[in-house]
Amino acid sequence: MAIHFAGQRTRRAQDLFSLTSIDLFYIDLEVVTSGPCPDTRPDSALPPRKTRPANHMKHIRNFSIIAHIDHGKSTLADRLIQRCNMVTAREFKDQLLDNMDIERERGITIKSQTICMPYRAKDGKMYTLNLVDTPGHVDFSYEVSRALKSCEGALLLIDAAQGVEAQTLANLYLAMENNLEIIPVINKIDLPSADPEMVALQIEEDLGLDMDTVQMCSAKTGQGVDEILEAIVKLLPPPQEGDAAAPLQALIFDASYDPFRGTIISVRIINGTIKPGDTIIFMSNNTSYKVEEVGLFRLRKEPQKSLQAGEVGYILAGVKTVSDTRPGDTITHKDKPCPRALPGFQEVQQVVFSSIYPISTDDYENLATAMEKLKLNDAALTFQKDASSALGFGFRCGFLGLLHLEVIQERLEREFDIPIILTVPSVCYHFFLTDGTMLEVDNPAHFPDPATIASTEEPYIKATIHMPDRYMGAVMTLCMERRGENTRYHYPMPGRIELTCELPLAEVIYDFYDRLKSVTQGYGSFDYELLDYRPSDLVKLDILVNGEKVDALSQLVHRANSRARGLHACEKLKEEIPRQMFKIAIQGAIGGTIVSRTTIAALRKDVTAKCYGGDISRKRKLLEKQKAGKKRMKIVGNVEIPQKAFLAVLKSEQS
Amino acid sequence: MTGPGLYLHIPFCRSKCSYCAFNSVAAQRDTVDAYLDLLARQIEEYAALEWCGGRRFSTLFIGGGTPSLASPAKLAAIITLCRSRFSLADQAEISMEANPDTIGPELLTTLREAGLNRLSIGIQSFNNAILAGINRVHTAEQAIKAFHLARGCGLANINIDLIYGLPHQTMADWQEDLQQILALAPEHLALYELTIEPESPFGRLQAEKALVLPDEDLLADMEEATNTLLSPHYQRYEIANFCRPGRQCRHNINYWLNGSYLGLGAGAVSCLDGLRFTHESDPYRFMSAVEHKTTTIRQAECLSRTARFRESMIMGLRLIDGFNLRKLEKRLDISATEVYGPLLAELNSQGRLLRQGEMIRLAPDWLPVANQVLNTLV
């Protein structure tokens, strides 16, 4: 499964399988102590400063960098941090803000981070630049939006060679909704294929942004980075005049979990002041906590005496789980609460659902603990207990999208070393029953009796696809195959096409990313938003292995696709299930009708050809590997099904 | 039970074959001869050690690589040296591996005089197209000629190595090979299913999916055809080994019974009463270490009784008649139940293992899929 696709840099899921353990938390770098002026000595060993200048708010800039994936966001962030002399060259590593290995290896940001950079501008004054890093994938757009809420401005980063892409627009709209001041930045001007003039024209004509404010840079070489820092100070407004004396209103825009200190809540103080010892409440659920520490994000967390209106920082208050801290929620004082919560809070919406089972039923408790731990740091993950007759106990989980699902799967296997099986991802369907009720179903196990179904609905999305015009035909065909409707397109500039199409979400989560990447040779970019529910015709496809239904492989599919899906599933299983001591029949069934069938012949040969004295260690290791492999198999009936067979069913032919 | 074995490794070949991942490098005769001089030093060194030299060895096996690449006189000298420095049993089996292109009258006569009484010829296939495809440097005609030459020189115990499941090999090809075997009538046969070793040239080809190999069903059919064709004339006594009555390779039987053995030369492995050690495998680094009188041992481990028991099981069950489980329990002073709990009884009741008195063996129908049982015992 591909994760994203812009230009020629693509990454494949199999790369993920070589990932090492993930470092979840803040970068443990030594911060240099010889900054450009005394004010920039962020030495956490020093006692917290008592006061800050009275007018210091004027010298704060809260901003984000938003961009299409691969347009160089993390590289620019690295360069800004370096320019503010926060790390020495020795400490520098690429993608400073991407802490998880999975982020570095995929080159994407999953968990946003905040960093506070001291900067002496050309006017001779010291400024505090709070860079709120944001995730860069379409699955995480809500995370982006809440991060943007804590800012006054944003750098809209655009690749000088690729120009405006699908997520450039999506992110720009998010920033505009939050009334952010936008500085367009054209990056990668050092590339031979760069065409900054053309991109600048696009910015003015397509995005309607002011050409005069466009910055040119190469985050790689550092060219133009000083000008960007100056532009941040000059063009972005300081935080709105909050009232430090008013009742506390603090916006939660992120939270992460530290095993020793509990939840680290990232906040933007809108009004009031918060300090250690205060008793605070979260307005969405009225829970109260005592503040243990407040501070600013430097490369390390730096404690402060207080945080006041306009500042971006963190709060430690002994909050046990990240799920108690809901992004978009408001924090206030218990004894002097603000009259109302900040607007815009919404529950995170999961769109993809799948069940996770441990391969070994003994691992269930471990899996439960691991899910709780992941939940500590991932407010968007939801799960509840689930049971399967084939796989035993597990969890039904909701995800923001397929990438989110893959990330969780990866982290369970790497951080917690629990081999798991995922069931076929599903969206949430609506079933209108003959008794007049409506049933929301995101789990094939809950598919109602077909006789009672009056009508069904499935969610649709609006897909926006950017690509060079030569791929138009192939992409149109793909959209049609995927039951696309109302396909429209226009040419934002010569040679480029922006195509919009309304598609069933279920088709997108199946293998749309992979296919799009494949038919556009990696040059297509994609973004989507949820539209509405539309009438559908759904059936439940079951998979039987030697006559036994494997409920974890059941999926809800459109009737028109059901035979093809059934055959695909049977063929994938045939490829992945190793031969066993007897013949295995694999069947796809809808209700009582068999729609597809494959057979796996019995194992006839599995023996080490030669084994003498000197070979024994090596041959023993081969057998031990086989033995370990069996542990990763799930026994259904009398058939051993490897974990990868479950995964293979989720994937398309081409991947 | 046979006694401990002595193994000498000669890590050189004229050229590397496509399937091979053995410890061997391509070299000329003078390099091999220089190596033998240093190997002789190591033989002297180990023979002087009481815990090695104090044993009475039942077998001597010179393997490779291609030992016959060396000068006959040098090889004869090595055998003579082993016989004088180590205590070899009177009727010791003395074997050497040879490739058809290196077998000549001088080599055979010289080695026979030095005491060689068993020759193992690596023929691999009697099909010239297939031989070329696996990068062998000899032809089928050379192989047949070499065999007759060895017979003519009075060698009464000859083994032939063949491989089946080679790229593009058909059932008819394999049956022709077996017919050729029956015509030559060697005393011993080692018939190996091709194993793709990741670090061999074939391993690299397979990674690129550029290798056309017989499928599992054809391999199973080839194994069955082998048994059918050979059973009137040969006894299958190990998964891959066949012999005329009484012609089992005693040196290898000792490996399958997990007895003690001393291995000398580059990469050779020794296992003496549970102490296992391995010599430097790179031939040139090995030679340099011997020359400078520094240790050549690169790995050593002391196996627990449980580990020895498990290894004895996975080795011993390769023998068609199995082995005496009671004797193993006595030798290692640990019971099968202590090691495996109820597993052996379960495998027995599932018909995978057969018990007969003190003997234990793999059920015949499980031989082609032996790993499915052995991987539960490892």
Side-chain angles (χ1 to χ4, degrees):
Chain A
M1 169 102 24
I3 308 310
H4 63 84
F5 30 84
Q8 289 145 314
R9 292 176 56 194
T10 59
R11 294 180 184 85
R12 290 160 308 154
Q14 47 263 48
D15 298 339
L16 302 176
F17 291 93
S18 57
L19 298 186
T20 53
S21 75
I22 292 169
D23 171 19
L24 262 180
F25 304 106
Y26 287 81
I27 305 170
D28 194 20
L29 285 181
E30 286 300 319
V31 174
V32 282
T33 49
S34 55
C37 77
D39 202 33
T40 65
R41 224 183 306 126
D43 190 339
S44 56
L46 289 177
R49 282 165 292 167
K50 286 196 175 91
T51 52
R52 271 157 282 184
N55 62 346
H56 83 289
M57 202 64 71
K58 279 188 201 156
H59 299 118
I60 294 179
R61 298 291 183 273
N62 297 320
F63 72 104
S64 268
I65 308 175
I66 52 177
H68 187 75
I69 199 153
D70 268 359
H71 281 199
K73 192 156 57 87
S74 294
T75 314
L76 180 59
D78 289 349
R79 204 62 59 204
L80 294 176
I81 293 166
Q82 271 187 323
R83 282 300 153 100
C84 292
N85 288 321
M86 293 186 68
V87 284
T88 61
R90 181 178 60 83
E91 293 156 343
F92 184 79
K93 50 181 174 177
D94 283 346
Q95 291 179 270
L96 273 169
L97 294 181
D98 292 347
N99 279 348
M100 290 191 243
D101 283 352
I102 201 168
E103 292 184 318
R104 284 168 192 275
E105 289 174 39
R106 289 194 184 199
I108 53 171
T109 305
I110 294 163
K111 193 91 190 131
S112 33
Q113 293 250 356
T114 302
I115 191 154
C116 170
M117 303 180 287
Y119 172 64
R120 185 175 295 281
K122 294 219 171 90
D123 63 8
K125 297 195 178 99
M126 279 308 299
Y127 289 84
T128 299
L129 309 183
N130 287 315
L131 165 59
V132 179
D133 195 23
T134 56
H137 190 270
V138 55
D139 277 6
F140 300 102
S141 61
Y142 181 73
E143 302 216 355
V144 178
S145 78
R146 74 201 187 196
L148 294 183
K149 275 189 190 146
S150 63
C151 299
E152 279 76 38
L155 304 180
L156 177 68
L157 197 61
I158 305 170
D159 184 309
Q162 297 188 5
V164 172
E165 295 277 5
Q167 286 162 34
T168 313
L169 281 172
N171 285 319
L172 173 63
Y173 296 148
L174 277 177
M176 285 174 155
E177 278 170 27
N178 286 290
N179 292 318
L180 299 194
E181 192 65 41
I182 289 154
I183 304 175
V185 178
I186 300 175
N187 189 22
K188 307 193 189 181
I189 54 170
D190 57 310
L191 287 183
S193 55
D195 189 353
E197 283 72 27
M198 181 273 297
V199 177
L201 205 65
Q202 256 191 315
I203 288 169
E204 186 167 49
E205 292 186 355
D206 298 344
L207 308 183
L209 296 174
D210 189 358
M211 272 262 267
D212 297 341
T213 62
V214 172
Q215 304 293 312
M216 304 273 188
C217 79
S218 163
K220 198 171 121 197
T221 64
Q223 187 189 351
V225 172
D226 290 336
E227 288 74 10
I228 293 174
L229 285 165
E230 281 301 306
I232 291 169
V233 168
K234 282 205 195 100
L235 300 174
L236 299 186
Q240 281 165 353
E241 280 301 314
D243 183 352
L248 176 67
Q249 269 185 317
L251 172 76
I252 301 178
F253 64 87
D254 193 20
S256 60
Y257 185 75
D258 180 301
F260 303 109
R261 316 208 59 182
T263 302
I264 301 157
I265 310 160
S266 304
V267 291
R268 161 75 191 266
I269 312 291
I270 307 293
N271 283 306
T273 304
I274 185 168
K275 56 187 189 306
D278 290 357
T279 303
I280 51 167
I281 56 170
F282 294 160
M283 295 187 76
S284 73
N285 54 9
N286 232 23
T287 48
S288 71
Y289 298 94
K290 192 165 169 143
V291 177
E292 292 165 2
E293 183 181 313
V294 298
L296 299 174
F297 293 105
R298 294 285 159 89
L299 273 179
R300 282 176 169 176
K301 295 185 296 297
E302 189 184 316
Q304 302 289 328
K305 280 275 176 193
S306 67
L307 286 179
Q308 46 187 286
E311 289 187 310
V312 167
Y314 69 89
I315 299 173
L316 294 174
V319 182
K320 290 284 175 290
T321 72
V322 170
S323 39
D324 291 334
T325 51
R326 304 186 182 185
D329 197 358
T330 307
I331 295 178
T332 191
H333 280 124
K334 189 170 187 183
D335 50 359
K336 192 186 162 196
C338 61
R340 61 181 154 280
L342 298 161
F345 171 69
Q346 67 185 65
E347 294 281 345
V348 184
Q349 197 188 3
Q350 286 79 23
V351 295
V352 174
F353 302 86
S354 169
S355 296
I356 294 178
Y357 294 96
I359 288 192
S360 159
T361 46
D362 300 343
D363 271 340
Y364 174 75
E365 289 303 325
N366 293 339
L367 178 63
T369 312
M371 294 297 290
E372 290 293 345
K373 282 194 182 152
L374 287 181
K375 177 79 184 158
L376 290 176
N377 207 22
D378 186 345
L381 172 71
T382 61
F383 61 92
Q384 60 195 60
K385 221 173 158 171
D386 193 15
S388 144
S389 54
L391 303 180
F393 288 113
F395 295 97
R396 188 72 189 170
C397 308
F399 304 96
L400 297 174
L402 269 195
L403 177 73
H404 188 208
L405 177 152
E406 285 190 29
V407 167
I408 295 294
Q409 180 209 336
E410 275 293 315
R411 294 184 62 189
L412 282 171
E413 299 223 334
R414 290 182 172 212
E415 290 170 42
F416 300 96
D417 194 25
I418 304 175
I420 53 159
I421 284 169
L422 280 166
T423 63
V424 182
S426 172
V427 300
C428 184
Y429 295 101
H430 290 168
F431 289 93
F432 296 91
L433 305 182
T434 45
D435 65 3
T437 58
M438 194 269 274
L439 201 60
E440 289 193 353
V441 173
D442 63 46
N443 186 344
H446 302 150
F447 182 67
D449 177 357
T452 66
I453 301 172
S455 64
T456 57
E457 276 184 355
E458 65 178 314
Y460 270 66
I461 57 137
K462 181 178 163 193
T464 307
I465 299 163
H466 281 237
M467 67 200 142
D469 56 4
R470 62 184 179 278
Y471 301 114
M472 179 68 176
V475 172
M476 288 279 268
T477 310
L478 175 65
C479 290
M480 289 303 110
E481 279 171 12
R482 297 307 152 98
R483 300 188 279 134
E485 296 169 12
N486 294 329
T487 306
R488 295 200 176 89
Y489 60 91
H490 74 274
Y491 294 83
M493 60 178 176
R496 298 282 300 177
I497 282 187
E498 182 193 283
L499 180 143
T500 60
C501 177
E502 294 164 17
L503 285 159
L505 176 60
E507 297 285 350
V508 174
I509 67 167
Y510 178 54
D511 66 346
F512 190 79
Y513 290 4
D514 288 1
R515 295 284 297 124
L516 180 68
K517 192 191 79 164
S518 151
V519 302
T520 62
Q521 293 167 314
Y523 285 98
S525 75
F526 170 76
D527 191 49
Y528 72 85
E529 58 186 286
L530 287 170
L531 277 180
D532 50 11
Y533 273 77
R534 294 182 187 178
S536 182
D537 184 8
L538 297 170
V539 293
K540 184 183 171 204
L541 174 70
D542 292 317
I543 302 296
L544 291 82
V545 173
N546 264 3
E548 187 139 349
K549 188 157 89 185
V550 185
D551 53 5
L553 291 174
S554 294
Q555 44 186 316
L556 298 177
V557 296
H558 193 267
R559 190 180 299 276
N561 294 343
S562 57
R563 268 171 198 280
R565 281 296 171 81
L567 193 62
H568 173 245
C570 287
E571 280 169 357
K572 282 284 169 187
L573 288 170
K574 183 178 175 170
E575 282 170 29
E576 297 295 343
I577 298 177
R579 286 182 173 204
Q580 292 170 34
M581 294 308 295
F582 40 81
K583 203 158 94 172
I584 303 165
I586 299 166
Q587 296 163 301
I590 291 166
T593 315
I594 302 296
V595 296
S596 56
R597 184 194 162 97
T598 52
T599 309
I600 300 171
L603 178 72
R604 291 187 62 199
K605 201 118 168 70
D606 180 19
V607 58
T608 304
K610 53 164 77 173
C611 189
Y612 300 104
D615 307 325
I616 180 152
S617 298
R618 231 157 62 91
K619 304 292 157 139
R620 194 192 62 215
K621 279 183 190 125
L622 286 178
L623 289 171
E624 279 166 352
K625 207 171 146 199
Q626 270 195 342
K627 189 180 186 178
K630 286 207 183 252
K631 287 203 183 124
R632 295 180 76 88
M633 303 247 207
K634 193 81 205 175
I635 298 175
V636 176
N638 55 355
V639 181
E640 289 171 334
I641 306 180
Q643 178 193 31
K644 59 182 179 166
F646 288 89
L647 295 175
V649 174
L650 323 183
K651 311 234 156 150
S652 65
E653 330 281 329
Q654 285 78 10
S655 59
Chain B
M1 182 156 168
T2 59
L6 177 60
Y7 177 80
L8 304 179
H9 191 72
I10 316 296
F12 300 102
C13 287
R14 184 161 284 171
S15 69
K16 288 292 286 177
C17 305
S18 312
Y19 54 83
C20 179
F22 273 125
N23 180 30
S24 158
V25 297
Q28 303 293 324
R29 171 166 283 183
D30 48 355
T31 307
V32 189
D33 287 351
Y35 173 84
L36 289 185
D37 288 341
L38 290 159
L39 180 61
R41 275 200 217 171
Q42 186 169 61
I43 291 168
E44 304 253 19
E45 183 196 335
Y46 275 79
L49 300 170
E50 174 56 27
W51 56 279
C52 296
R55 292 165 198 265
R56 190 167 174 82
F57 290 95
S58 302
T59 60
L60 167 64
F61 195 106
I62 306 174
T66 310
S68 52
L69 200 55
S71 314
K74 290 272 181 194
L75 284 169
I78 285 285
I79 295 177
T80 309
L81 182 68
C82 286
R83 295 180 69 176
S84 68
R85 291 294 186 274
F86 284 102
S87 165
L88 253 64
D90 295 341
Q91 298 300 313
E93 175 189 277
I94 300 177
S95 311
M96 190 186 79
E97 294 182 326
N99 273 345
D101 52 298
T102 55
I103 293 174
E106 187 200 348
L107 176 89
L108 294 165
T109 319
T110 317
L111 292 180
R112 278 276 292 138
E113 279 167 13
L116 187 84
N117 51 30
R118 187 174 183 276
L119 187 71
S120 175
I121 311 177
I123 292 179
Q124 319 312 352
S125 170
F126 289 105
N127 181 313
N128 284 335
I130 288 177
L131 284 171
I134 58 177
N135 207 28
R136 294 290 291 181
V137 288
H138 60 84
T139 61
E141 294 70 28
Q142 273 179 298
I144 294 166
K145 199 175 148 206
F147 181 86
H148 290 310
L149 205 56
R151 266 283 184 268
C153 288
L155 273 160
N157 194 358
I158 303 178
N159 167 66
I160 289 179
D161 277 355
L162 290 184
I163 304 176
Y164 66 94
L166 289 166
H168 304 289
Q169 194 176 33
T170 64
M171 177 63 105
D173 293 334
W174 178 237
Q175 279 170 331
E176 279 174 31
D177 280 358
L178 292 172
Q179 291 298 346
Q180 184 61 57
I181 284 289
L182 292 178
L184 295 177
E187 284 66 37
H188 193 279
L189 284 168
L191 306 178
Y192 302 116
E193 178 191 332
L194 176 68
T195 307
I196 303 294
E197 303 289 351
E199 56 273 37
S200 69
F202 273 176
R204 287 184 284 278
L205 281 177
Q206 196 185 38
E208 295 159 18
K209 297 189 159 75
L211 213 51
V212 185
L213 294 170
D215 66 11
E216 183 181 322
D217 287 312
L218 179 53
L219 289 172
D221 291 343
M222 284 176 166
E223 185 181 344
E224 281 174 18
T226 308
N227 290 333
T228 313
L229 264 167
L230 296 186
S231 60
H233 316 280
Y234 289 91
Q235 175 200 356
R236 185 185 186 191
Y237 74 99
E238 194 260 0
I239 281 170
N241 285 271
F242 299 73
C243 68
R244 299 271 197 204
R247 293 295 196 173
Q248 286 88 344
C249 176
R250 283 152 53 199
H251 185 80
N252 288 341
I253 294 260
N254 180 54
Y255 289 139
W256 295 314
L257 293 177
N258 213 5
S260 289
Y261 44 90
L262 175 66
L264 299 178
V269 179
S270 304
C271 190
L272 297 166
D273 303 319
L275 169 68
R276 177 150 58 210
F277 55 94
T278 310
H279 294 288
E280 167 65 54
S281 61
D282 181 90
Y284 301 105
R285 279 202 290 263
F286 173 86
M287 288 162 74
S288 157
V290 175
E291 188 145 31
H292 295 95
K293 298 193 165 63
T294 59
T295 182
T296 56
I297 294 179
R298 292 294 174 265
Q299 273 179 321
E301 58 178 331
C302 207
L303 299 166
S304 69
R305 281 181 301 152
T306 313
R308 289 173 73 188
F309 198 97
R310 287 176 178 272
E311 286 191 355
S312 301
M313 287 291 288
I314 61 170
M315 293 300 273
L317 289 173
R318 294 184 63 88
L319 291 165
I320 305 299
D321 291 337
F323 61 97
N324 189 315
L325 185 64
R326 183 79 202 100
K327 273 192 188 162
L328 178 66
E329 289 180 321
K330 266 196 207 148
R331 178 157 69 99
L332 297 178
D333 192 26
I334 189 168
S335 76
T337 320
E338 281 172 81
V339 180
Y340 289 118
L343 181 62
L344 292 190
E346 282 167 24
L347 292 170
N348 192 207
S349 68
Q350 290 163 353
R352 301 185 185 204
L353 290 183
L354 303 180
R355 301 288 295 269
Q356 204 164 28
E358 296 184 339
M359 299 294 286
I360 186 166
R361 66 189 168 109
L362 203 61
D365 48 337
W366 284 81
L367 285 171
V369 290
N371 286 356
Q372 294 286 312
V373 180
L374 299 183
N375 68 28
T376 65
L377 296 169
V378 67

